[in-house]
Amino acid sequence: MARANGTLFTLLGIVTCFILIGGIHGANILCLFTSISPSHLVIQMSMARILYDRGHNVTVVTTLKSPIPIDHTNINHIQVEISEEDKQMLSSLFGDMAKTDNSNVVLSMFRSFKKVSFIFNKVAGTLTDPLVRNLYENKDNNFDLVIVGYFMNSSPMAIAHKLKVPLIVQVCNPPSDITAGRMLGNPKELSYVSAQYASANEGEQTFGKRFANIFTSLGVNGFMFFVDKTNEQNYYKLVGDDASFPDYADLNKNISLVFFASHAPSEGPIRPNVPGVIEVGGIQVKDQPDPLPQNIKEFIGNATNGAILLSLGSNIKGSHIKADTMQIMFKVLSKLKQRIIWKWEDLDNTPGKSDNILYSKWVPQDDVLAHPNIKLFITHAGKGSITEAQYHGKPMLALPVFGDQPANAAVMVSQHFGLSLSLLTLEEQQFYDSLIEVLENPKYTQKVTKFSSLYRDRPLTARESVIYWTEYVIRHHGAKHLQSPVVHMNFIAANNLDIYALILVVLLISFYTTKISIIWLYGKCKTKTSKSAQQKVKVKRN
Ligand SMILES: *[C@@H]1O[C@H](CO)[C@@H](O)[C@H](O)[C@H]1NC(C)=O
Ligand SMILES: *[C@@H]1O[C@H](CO)[C@@H](O)[C@H](O)[C@H]1NC(C)=O
């Protein structure tokens, strides 16, 4: 009997332990992943999947179809679809960008401002969609946490304020000026941290580099100023004069922490971050790759000379790229001894047929890159794609198009993980030579393999970090204690400009009073000496 009791107590103890340790299992989490970019959604849906695998009740709002399969019995998915008209607009925007030189981020941002701002309006629009409205107005929804996927518009954050629950933000780039800086008061450190989206702080921080960086920062922040003005107008148009919605300017001020799709200890830049910066780069990479579709599996599996994956991302379609460029690419690729998987959406209209090329509408990129026969990845240099190649240790040939891609490609090249060419000016010989160089010179594979082991070596994996920090915020009902005071300070106070101004005034006053006194004293002495000189003259005459 006593023994039975003992066992019972032990059992009870174990159960209590489980309840205490995992006390926030089964929290109710609302994710607002309204970005119009499928590559963002890949990262975001991976996070949602991790959270529901952990046992939380996850509700996800998206504007796009999920690019990764989701199990609807576990996840409550609400899609606020964008109209056909909007989809066309979006496609033409990406098409235009593919035809212009976007190597200067700031210029490229301003050039596309009008069209891009339409995207932000769409994101804001979901705020008052009846399906979403029900989520925050229906009192039966007891959410514990809101996670917002941020893309240049803070409007969705209003929902956390409406629900009065903690807010976590998710960003698909490294902590930059316009995200970590504006949301968490992260230091800018412009003398050695690039103000562009992605950049390791390699090389010497020369005068020219620092000079340019200050202007890049001004440009990027200027751009965000205009974007936020547009966002703000749209926000008030949507919420009207409903006082239960916070001011647009206050939306960024109650964020517990931000998950960034980066990993500074391996990728750089080395810089100070506030504790609310949580880097979970590689979150979309699965610990174990899923099995490949049969045709792809056979095609790569039988590639005795190795295989190449070619994907220009989910935004750029074959039709956006000049026909000549496509022909050049086809001509070169069909001559190679390697097999090529080419992500191509229109299978009736391919650049050409060749035994060594397999066109596929959909490619499970992460799983394909994990395959040992893949020797090279030809990519548009989206952050997600570069991350996956780095994780799996595959060298790259980048053909960047717009947004953060040119900067990502430049960093990748500086790390010697591959080469980069402009898609706008692609030439046959140059494309061929670059391919051969990356395929045959072992230095690229060696460098990226070495990086891969650094990238994977972390105290908590990306998956564990997401779980730990999400539950941390739920456990403590927010993370106000992590917040930097800078978040609530204005520009002048945050930069001590008032104090410098005061010091300057004091210095100027003391300089002028000293100057005046010296002139006065000098004047006095002069009159005195000239008087005594006159006296001497008089004495002499006498
Ligand atoms: C999960 O959350 C949704 C939205 O709040 C709610 O309708 C549903 O009942 C919840 N499910 C469980 C098992 O708590
Ligand atoms: C700020 O967040 C906390 C939870 O972290 C929440 O309780 C509070 O209501 C929020 N404040 C506003 C103004 O939304």
Side-chain angles (χ1 to χ4, degrees), residues 320-356:
H320 292 145
I321 297 163
K322 281 186 294 187
D324 304 355
T325 311
M326 280 296 120
Q327 276 319 306
I328 291 175
M329 289 173 73
F330 173 75
K331 236 171 120 183
V332 172
L333 292 170
S334 58
K335 277 195 301 204
L336 296 178
K337 59 179 194 279
Q338 285 80 8
R339 289 188 164 185
I340 293 108
I341 298 187
W342 191 333
K343 181 171 176 287
W344 186 269
E345 71 284 350
D346 184 1
L347 295 182
D348 299 329
N349 240 324
T350 60
K353 287 205 185 332
S354 169
D355 282 344
N356 71 331

mmCIF file of all heavy atoms in Angstrom, residues 320-356:
data_model
loop_
_atom_site.group_PDB
_atom_site.id
_atom_site.type_symbol
_atom_site.label_atom_id
_atom_site.label_comp_id
_atom_site.label_asym_id
_atom_site.label_seq_id
_atom_site.Cartn_x
_atom_site.Cartn_y
_atom_site.Cartn_z
ATOM 1 N N HIS A 320 8.967 37.969 -67.004
ATOM 2 C CA HIS A 320 9.492 39.270 -66.616
ATOM 3 C C HIS A 320 10.887 39.512 -67.183
ATOM 4 O O HIS A 320 11.376 40.625 -67.179
ATOM 5 C CB HIS A 320 9.611 39.375 -65.085
ATOM 6 C CG HIS A 320 8.289 39.391 -64.390
ATOM 7 N ND1 HIS A 320 8.096 38.808 -63.168
ATOM 8 C CD2 HIS A 320 7.106 39.918 -64.753
ATOM 9 C CE1 HIS A 320 6.832 38.982 -62.812
ATOM 10 N NE2 HIS A 320 6.225 39.647 -63.757
ATOM 11 N N ILE A 321 11.520 38.434 -67.583
ATOM 12 C CA ILE A 321 12.916 38.541 -67.993
ATOM 13 C C ILE A 321 12.991 38.577 -69.511
ATOM 14 O O ILE A 321 12.230 37.884 -70.188
ATOM 15 C CB ILE A 321 13.717 37.358 -67.408
ATOM 16 C CG1 ILE A 321 13.665 37.460 -65.880
ATOM 17 C CG2 ILE A 321 15.144 37.350 -67.888
ATOM 18 C CD1 ILE A 321 14.052 36.198 -65.192
ATOM 19 N N LYS A 322 13.912 39.394 -70.027
ATOM 20 C CA LYS A 322 14.032 39.546 -71.478
ATOM 21 C C LYS A 322 14.229 38.186 -72.153
ATOM 22 O O LYS A 322 14.983 37.338 -71.655
ATOM 23 C CB LYS A 322 15.234 40.442 -71.807
ATOM 24 C CG LYS A 322 14.932 41.918 -71.620
ATOM 25 C CD LYS A 322 16.087 42.780 -72.098
ATOM 26 C CE LYS A 322 17.312 42.584 -71.244
ATOM 27 N NZ LYS A 322 18.414 43.471 -71.519
ATOM 28 N N ALA A 323 13.556 37.997 -73.292
ATOM 29 C CA ALA A 323 13.621 36.712 -73.995
ATOM 30 C C ALA A 323 15.063 36.374 -74.378
ATOM 31 O O ALA A 323 15.483 35.212 -74.293
ATOM 32 C CB ALA A 323 12.739 36.749 -75.230
ATOM 33 N N ASP A 324 15.844 37.391 -74.752
ATOM 34 C CA ASP A 324 17.245 37.154 -75.139
ATOM 35 C C ASP A 324 18.024 36.562 -73.970
ATOM 36 O O ASP A 324 18.817 35.632 -74.136
ATOM 37 C CB ASP A 324 17.959 38.465 -75.503
ATOM 38 C CG ASP A 324 17.232 39.219 -76.590
ATOM 39 O OD1 ASP A 324 16.241 38.653 -77.090
ATOM 40 O OD2 ASP A 324 17.670 40.337 -76.916
ATOM 41 N N THR A 325 17.788 37.128 -72.799
ATOM 42 C CA THR A 325 18.497 36.662 -71.605
ATOM 43 C C THR A 325 18.159 35.194 -71.335
ATOM 44 O O THR A 325 19.038 34.385 -71.037
ATOM 45 C CB THR A 325 18.101 37.527 -70.388
ATOM 46 O OG1 THR A 325 18.215 38.891 -70.761
ATOM 47 C CG2 THR A 325 18.963 37.230 -69.191
ATOM 48 N N MET A 326 16.886 34.855 -71.463
ATOM 49 C CA MET A 326 16.456 33.464 -71.256
ATOM 50 C C MET A 326 17.171 32.540 -72.239
ATOM 51 O O MET A 326 17.602 31.451 -71.881
ATOM 52 C CB MET A 326 14.948 33.355 -71.510
ATOM 53 C CG MET A 326 14.103 33.818 -70.365
ATOM 54 S SD MET A 326 14.384 32.754 -68.959
ATOM 55 C CE MET A 326 14.962 33.907 -67.802
ATOM 56 N N GLN A 327 17.279 33.003 -73.497
ATOM 57 C CA GLN A 327 17.928 32.185 -74.525
ATOM 58 C C GLN A 327 19.403 31.965 -74.204
ATOM 59 O O GLN A 327 19.923 30.864 -74.344
ATOM 60 C CB GLN A 327 17.771 32.828 -75.908
ATOM 61 C CG GLN A 327 16.443 32.493 -76.576
ATOM 62 C CD GLN A 327 16.046 31.037 -76.387
ATOM 63 O OE1 GLN A 327 16.809 30.121 -76.695
ATOM 64 N NE2 GLN A 327 14.852 30.798 -75.842
ATOM 65 N N ILE A 328 20.055 33.039 -73.738
ATOM 66 C CA ILE A 328 21.467 32.922 -73.352
ATOM 67 C C ILE A 328 21.598 31.887 -72.243
ATOM 68 O O ILE A 328 22.445 30.989 -72.302
ATOM 69 C CB ILE A 328 22.002 34.290 -72.868
ATOM 70 C CG1 ILE A 328 22.096 35.248 -74.051
ATOM 71 C CG2 ILE A 328 23.352 34.128 -72.176
ATOM 72 C CD1 ILE A 328 22.495 36.657 -73.665
ATOM 73 N N MET A 329 20.721 31.984 -71.246
ATOM 74 C CA MET A 329 20.806 31.055 -70.123
ATOM 75 C C MET A 329 20.599 29.620 -70.601
ATOM 76 O O MET A 329 21.341 28.712 -70.229
ATOM 77 C CB MET A 329 19.773 31.423 -69.049
ATOM 78 C CG MET A 329 20.128 32.698 -68.302
ATOM 79 S SD MET A 329 18.849 33.250 -67.173
ATOM 80 C CE MET A 329 18.995 32.054 -65.885
ATOM 81 N N PHE A 330 19.583 29.445 -71.441
ATOM 82 C CA PHE A 330 19.295 28.089 -71.925
ATOM 83 C C PHE A 330 20.480 27.516 -72.706
ATOM 84 O O PHE A 330 20.889 26.374 -72.495
ATOM 85 C CB PHE A 330 18.034 28.081 -72.785
ATOM 86 C CG PHE A 330 17.796 26.750 -73.431
ATOM 87 C CD1 PHE A 330 17.311 25.683 -72.689
ATOM 88 C CD2 PHE A 330 18.106 26.536 -74.774
ATOM 89 C CE1 PHE A 330 17.124 24.428 -73.263
ATOM 90 C CE2 PHE A 330 17.930 25.298 -75.355
ATOM 91 C CZ PHE A 330 17.430 24.244 -74.602
ATOM 92 N N LYS A 331 21.027 28.351 -73.615
ATOM 93 C CA LYS A 331 22.123 27.898 -74.473
ATOM 94 C C LYS A 331 23.308 27.398 -73.639
ATOM 95 O O LYS A 331 23.857 26.325 -73.896
ATOM 96 C CB LYS A 331 22.595 29.065 -75.359
ATOM 97 C CG LYS A 331 22.546 28.724 -76.838
ATOM 98 C CD LYS A 331 22.790 29.945 -77.669
ATOM 99 C CE LYS A 331 24.010 29.794 -78.551
ATOM 100 N NZ LYS A 331 24.262 31.042 -79.308
ATOM 101 N N VAL A 332 23.642 28.187 -72.637
ATOM 102 C CA VAL A 332 24.789 27.836 -71.800
ATOM 103 C C VAL A 332 24.490 26.595 -70.968
ATOM 104 O O VAL A 332 25.288 25.643 -70.914
ATOM 105 C CB VAL A 332 25.176 29.031 -70.895
ATOM 106 C CG1 VAL A 332 26.231 28.612 -69.890
ATOM 107 C CG2 VAL A 332 25.661 30.197 -71.740
ATOM 108 N N LEU A 333 23.321 26.585 -70.338
ATOM 109 C CA LEU A 333 23.001 25.481 -69.425
ATOM 110 C C LEU A 333 22.871 24.155 -70.163
ATOM 111 O O LEU A 333 23.277 23.110 -69.658
ATOM 112 C CB LEU A 333 21.711 25.787 -68.658
ATOM 113 C CG LEU A 333 21.829 26.947 -67.658
ATOM 114 C CD1 LEU A 333 20.468 27.346 -67.135
ATOM 115 C CD2 LEU A 333 22.754 26.565 -66.506
ATOM 116 N N SER A 334 22.321 24.187 -71.377
ATOM 117 C CA SER A 334 22.122 22.924 -72.100
ATOM 118 C C SER A 334 23.451 22.320 -72.542
ATOM 119 O O SER A 334 23.525 21.147 -72.878
ATOM 120 C CB SER A 334 21.180 23.141 -73.294
ATOM 121 O OG SER A 334 21.718 24.127 -74.134
ATOM 122 N N LYS A 335 24.529 23.130 -72.542
ATOM 123 C CA LYS A 335 25.850 22.621 -72.926
ATOM 124 C C LYS A 335 26.578 21.932 -71.773
ATOM 125 O O LYS A 335 27.568 21.252 -71.985
ATOM 126 C CB LYS A 335 26.734 23.794 -73.405
ATOM 127 C CG LYS A 335 26.517 24.172 -74.853
ATOM 128 C CD LYS A 335 27.635 25.061 -75.386
ATOM 129 C CE LYS A 335 27.778 26.350 -74.598
ATOM 130 N NZ LYS A 335 28.391 27.458 -75.296
ATOM 131 N N LEU A 336 26.107 22.164 -70.536
ATOM 132 C CA LEU A 336 26.838 21.639 -69.375
ATOM 133 C C LEU A 336 26.650 20.137 -69.222
ATOM 134 O O LEU A 336 25.659 19.576 -69.691
ATOM 135 C CB LEU A 336 26.340 22.321 -68.090
ATOM 136 C CG LEU A 336 26.566 23.832 -67.962
ATOM 137 C CD1 LEU A 336 25.974 24.333 -66.655
ATOM 138 C CD2 LEU A 336 28.048 24.164 -68.040
ATOM 139 N N LYS A 337 27.600 19.487 -68.510
ATOM 140 C CA LYS A 337 27.439 18.052 -68.287
ATOM 141 C C LYS A 337 26.578 17.781 -67.052
ATOM 142 O O LYS A 337 26.091 16.692 -66.850
ATOM 143 C CB LYS A 337 28.813 17.362 -68.194
ATOM 144 C CG LYS A 337 29.732 17.872 -67.094
ATOM 145 C CD LYS A 337 31.037 17.064 -67.137
ATOM 146 C CE LYS A 337 31.883 17.251 -65.893
ATOM 147 N NZ LYS A 337 32.702 18.434 -65.835
ATOM 148 N N GLN A 338 26.382 18.806 -66.227
ATOM 149 C CA GLN A 338 25.532 18.648 -65.047
ATOM 150 C C GLN A 338 24.048 18.658 -65.443
ATOM 151 O O GLN A 338 23.687 19.162 -66.494
ATOM 152 C CB GLN A 338 25.767 19.793 -64.040
ATOM 153 C CG GLN A 338 27.054 19.705 -63.263
ATOM 154 C CD GLN A 338 28.251 20.204 -64.059
ATOM 155 O OE1 GLN A 338 28.135 20.750 -65.145
ATOM 156 N NE2 GLN A 338 29.443 20.000 -63.509
ATOM 157 N N ARG A 339 23.221 18.110 -64.569
ATOM 158 C CA ARG A 339 21.772 18.188 -64.780
ATOM 159 C C ARG A 339 21.226 19.425 -64.071
ATOM 160 O O ARG A 339 21.721 19.782 -63.001
ATOM 161 C CB ARG A 339 21.097 16.947 -64.214
ATOM 162 C CG ARG A 339 21.385 15.732 -65.041
ATOM 163 C CD ARG A 339 20.549 14.578 -64.564
ATOM 164 N NE ARG A 339 20.532 13.529 -65.576
ATOM 165 C CZ ARG A 339 19.802 12.447 -65.472
ATOM 166 N NH1 ARG A 339 19.036 12.255 -64.402
ATOM 167 N NH2 ARG A 339 19.818 11.539 -66.423
ATOM 168 N N ILE A 340 20.229 20.038 -64.666
ATOM 169 C CA ILE A 340 19.710 21.290 -64.096
ATOM 170 C C ILE A 340 18.218 21.180 -63.793
ATOM 171 O O ILE A 340 17.428 20.786 -64.656
ATOM 172 C CB ILE A 340 19.941 22.481 -65.067
ATOM 173 C CG1 ILE A 340 21.445 22.744 -65.191
ATOM 174 C CG2 ILE A 340 19.274 23.757 -64.562
ATOM 175 C CD1 ILE A 340 22.030 22.344 -66.474
ATOM 176 N N ILE A 341 17.853 21.527 -62.558
ATOM 177 C CA ILE A 341 16.433 21.678 -62.230
ATOM 178 C C ILE A 341 16.136 23.160 -62.294
ATOM 179 O O ILE A 341 16.738 23.955 -61.580
ATOM 180 C CB ILE A 341 16.121 21.168 -60.818
ATOM 181 C CG1 ILE A 341 16.440 19.695 -60.763
ATOM 182 C CG2 ILE A 341 14.673 21.435 -60.460
ATOM 183 C CD1 ILE A 341 16.012 19.065 -59.500
ATOM 184 N N TRP A 342 15.244 23.535 -63.191
ATOM 185 C CA TRP A 342 14.961 24.939 -63.457
ATOM 186 C C TRP A 342 13.540 25.231 -62.987
ATOM 187 O O TRP A 342 12.591 24.681 -63.527
ATOM 188 C CB TRP A 342 15.123 25.206 -64.954
ATOM 189 C CG TRP A 342 15.125 26.649 -65.356
ATOM 190 C CD1 TRP A 342 14.528 27.690 -64.711
ATOM 191 C CD2 TRP A 342 15.747 27.206 -66.527
ATOM 192 N NE1 TRP A 342 14.736 28.857 -65.390
ATOM 193 C CE2 TRP A 342 15.489 28.596 -66.512
ATOM 194 C CE3 TRP A 342 16.494 26.671 -67.577
ATOM 195 C CZ2 TRP A 342 15.949 29.460 -67.518
ATOM 196 C CZ3 TRP A 342 16.942 27.532 -68.564
ATOM 197 C CH2 TRP A 342 16.673 28.917 -68.525
ATOM 198 N N LYS A 343 13.416 26.085 -61.980
ATOM 199 C CA LYS A 343 12.068 26.458 -61.521
ATOM 200 C C LYS A 343 11.458 27.388 -62.565
ATOM 201 O O LYS A 343 11.947 28.487 -62.810
ATOM 202 C CB LYS A 343 12.134 27.168 -60.168
ATOM 203 C CG LYS A 343 10.755 27.542 -59.668
ATOM 204 C CD LYS A 343 10.804 28.037 -58.228
ATOM 205 C CE LYS A 343 9.427 28.488 -57.784
ATOM 206 N NZ LYS A 343 9.003 29.759 -58.370
ATOM 207 N N TRP A 344 10.386 26.910 -63.187
ATOM 208 C CA TRP A 344 9.791 27.623 -64.327
ATOM 209 C C TRP A 344 8.279 27.432 -64.251
ATOM 210 O O TRP A 344 7.800 26.300 -64.201
ATOM 211 C CB TRP A 344 10.363 27.047 -65.624
ATOM 212 C CG TRP A 344 9.916 27.798 -66.822
ATOM 213 C CD1 TRP A 344 8.804 27.543 -67.590
ATOM 214 C CD2 TRP A 344 10.530 28.968 -67.384
ATOM 215 N NE1 TRP A 344 8.697 28.468 -68.575
ATOM 216 C CE2 TRP A 344 9.739 29.365 -68.485
ATOM 217 C CE3 TRP A 344 11.649 29.717 -67.062
ATOM 218 C CZ2 TRP A 344 10.042 30.484 -69.260
ATOM 219 C CZ3 TRP A 344 11.960 30.819 -67.836
ATOM 220 C CH2 TRP A 344 11.170 31.197 -68.929
ATOM 221 N N GLU A 345 7.520 28.536 -64.281
ATOM 222 C CA GLU A 345 6.088 28.397 -63.982
ATOM 223 C C GLU A 345 5.212 28.023 -65.180
ATOM 224 O O GLU A 345 4.168 27.425 -65.021
ATOM 225 C CB GLU A 345 5.553 29.653 -63.284
ATOM 226 C CG GLU A 345 5.435 30.894 -64.137
ATOM 227 C CD GLU A 345 6.781 31.562 -64.413
ATOM 228 O OE1 GLU A 345 7.813 31.185 -63.798
ATOM 229 O OE2 GLU A 345 6.807 32.443 -65.273
ATOM 230 N N ASP A 346 5.694 28.335 -66.412
ATOM 231 C CA ASP A 346 4.844 28.070 -67.577
ATOM 232 C C ASP A 346 5.423 26.909 -68.399
ATOM 233 O O ASP A 346 6.245 27.106 -69.294
ATOM 234 C CB ASP A 346 4.765 29.357 -68.420
ATOM 235 C CG ASP A 346 3.817 29.200 -69.592
ATOM 236 O OD1 ASP A 346 3.219 28.104 -69.732
ATOM 237 O OD2 ASP A 346 3.686 30.164 -70.370
ATOM 238 N N LEU A 347 4.957 25.693 -68.103
ATOM 239 C CA LEU A 347 5.584 24.507 -68.693
ATOM 240 C C LEU A 347 5.294 24.360 -70.182
ATOM 241 O O LEU A 347 5.989 23.648 -70.896
ATOM 242 C CB LEU A 347 5.154 23.246 -67.935
ATOM 243 C CG LEU A 347 5.630 23.182 -66.477
ATOM 244 C CD1 LEU A 347 5.214 21.885 -65.824
ATOM 245 C CD2 LEU A 347 7.149 23.344 -66.381
ATOM 246 N N ASP A 348 4.251 25.057 -70.700
ATOM 247 C CA ASP A 348 3.961 24.999 -72.141
ATOM 248 C C ASP A 348 4.889 25.917 -72.909
ATOM 249 O O ASP A 348 4.936 25.888 -74.133
ATOM 250 C CB ASP A 348 2.508 25.436 -72.402
ATOM 251 C CG ASP A 348 1.544 24.505 -71.684
ATOM 252 O OD1 ASP A 348 1.895 23.315 -71.541
ATOM 253 O OD2 ASP A 348 0.478 24.969 -71.255
ATOM 254 N N ASN A 349 5.558 26.793 -72.188
ATOM 255 C CA ASN A 349 6.358 27.828 -72.820
ATOM 256 C C ASN A 349 7.744 27.899 -72.193
ATOM 257 O O ASN A 349 8.047 28.827 -71.463
ATOM 258 C CB ASN A 349 5.648 29.163 -72.580
ATOM 259 C CG ASN A 349 5.288 29.816 -73.890
ATOM 260 O OD1 ASN A 349 6.049 29.707 -74.863
ATOM 261 N ND2 ASN A 349 4.153 30.481 -73.910
ATOM 262 N N THR A 350 8.570 26.907 -72.467
ATOM 263 C CA THR A 350 9.881 26.876 -71.816
ATOM 264 C C THR A 350 10.927 27.481 -72.757
ATOM 265 O O THR A 350 10.689 27.588 -73.956
ATOM 266 C CB THR A 350 10.276 25.427 -71.469
ATOM 267 O OG1 THR A 350 10.317 24.690 -72.687
ATOM 268 C CG2 THR A 350 9.290 24.796 -70.515
ATOM 269 N N PRO A 351 12.097 27.863 -72.232
ATOM 270 C CA PRO A 351 13.132 28.444 -73.087
ATOM 271 C C PRO A 351 13.688 27.450 -74.119
ATOM 272 O O PRO A 351 14.358 27.864 -75.057
ATOM 273 C CB PRO A 351 14.228 28.853 -72.096
ATOM 274 C CG PRO A 351 13.581 28.895 -70.771
ATOM 275 C CD PRO A 351 12.463 27.928 -70.805
ATOM 276 N N GLY A 352 13.461 26.165 -73.935
ATOM 277 C CA GLY A 352 13.960 25.185 -74.895
ATOM 278 C C GLY A 352 14.054 23.813 -74.247
ATOM 279 O O GLY A 352 14.020 23.710 -73.019
ATOM 280 N N LYS A 353 14.125 22.767 -75.063
ATOM 281 C CA LYS A 353 14.185 21.421 -74.479
ATOM 282 C C LYS A 353 15.618 20.888 -74.532
ATOM 283 O O LYS A 353 16.320 21.070 -75.517
ATOM 284 C CB LYS A 353 13.273 20.482 -75.264
ATOM 285 C CG LYS A 353 11.809 20.754 -74.993
ATOM 286 C CD LYS A 353 10.958 19.514 -75.242
ATOM 287 C CE LYS A 353 9.468 19.796 -75.100
ATOM 288 N NZ LYS A 353 9.095 20.879 -74.180
ATOM 289 N N SER A 354 16.008 20.227 -73.461
ATOM 290 C CA SER A 354 17.327 19.612 -73.423
ATOM 291 C C SER A 354 17.270 18.473 -72.407
ATOM 292 O O SER A 354 16.574 18.579 -71.396
ATOM 293 C CB SER A 354 18.369 20.652 -73.016
ATOM 294 O OG SER A 354 19.589 20.018 -72.737
ATOM 295 N N ASP A 355 18.012 17.382 -72.691
ATOM 296 C CA ASP A 355 17.957 16.207 -71.820
ATOM 297 C C ASP A 355 18.440 16.499 -70.404
ATOM 298 O O ASP A 355 18.053 15.821 -69.464
ATOM 299 C CB ASP A 355 18.821 15.069 -72.403
ATOM 300 C CG ASP A 355 18.092 14.379 -73.544
ATOM 301 O OD1 ASP A 355 16.856 14.593 -73.645
ATOM 302 O OD2 ASP A 355 18.755 13.658 -74.321
ATOM 303 N N ASN A 356 19.340 17.484 -70.296
ATOM 304 C CA ASN A 356 19.905 17.720 -68.966
ATOM 305 C C ASN A 356 19.129 18.785 -68.176
ATOM 306 O O ASN A 356 19.577 19.227 -67.126
ATOM 307 C CB ASN A 356 21.389 18.105 -69.069
ATOM 308 C CG ASN A 356 21.579 19.496 -69.640
ATOM 309 O OD1 ASN A 356 20.752 19.970 -70.418
ATOM 310 N ND2 ASN A 356 22.652 20.151 -69.233
#
